[in-house]
Amino acid sequence: MLLWRQSIPKGWLPKVLADIDAVLVDHCHLERKAAASALNLIKYPELAMCVRELNAIALEELVHFNLLLNLLEQRGQVYAR
């Protein structure tokens, strides 16, 4: 469950829905970044005992990334900056 520290602004949802494709592209970038971050942590010797867990996190994030890529493609959108 998400624990919000601040209340969500009332105008949030209409703004998101008005540019949902940009939100999806941004989310896609975040999934890729999460996967890359998990893989990047593997290089640290003090995290050697966590390599399998970090790899599992990276794989899960790449699955999410792929799901979003598929959704963008279905919507006729391009994964870009």
Side-chain angles (χ1 to χ4, degrees):
M1 175 188 286
L2 297 174
L3 301 174
W4 299 106
R5 296 185 192 276
Q6 296 182 3
S7 61
I8 299 170
K10 293 189 189 276
W12 174 80
L13 186 58
K15 288 179 183 178
V16 168
L17 294 175
D19 201 2
I20 191 70
D21 291 328
V23 172
L24 292 172
V25 168
D26 186 56
H27 191 128
C28 199
H29 281 285
L30 293 173
E31 295 292 352
R32 185 209 52 81
K33 186 177 178 181
S37 294
L39 290 174
N40 191 44
L41 289 172
I42 290 173
K43 70 182 177 185
Y44 294 100
E46 60 270 24
L47 296 176
M49 73 297 260
C50 300
V51 170
R52 290 207 179 272
E53 185 176 358
L54 289 166
N55 186 61
I57 291 168
L59 288 170
E60 180 182 3
E61 298 304 332
L62 285 174
V63 167
H64 298 159
F65 176 76
N66 194 55
L67 289 170
L68 283 161
L69 282 177
N70 290 340
L71 182 57
L72 287 170
E73 185 177 278
Q74 290 170 8
R75 296 177 64 84
Q77 298 300 312
V78 178
Y79 173 72
R81 296 186 111 178

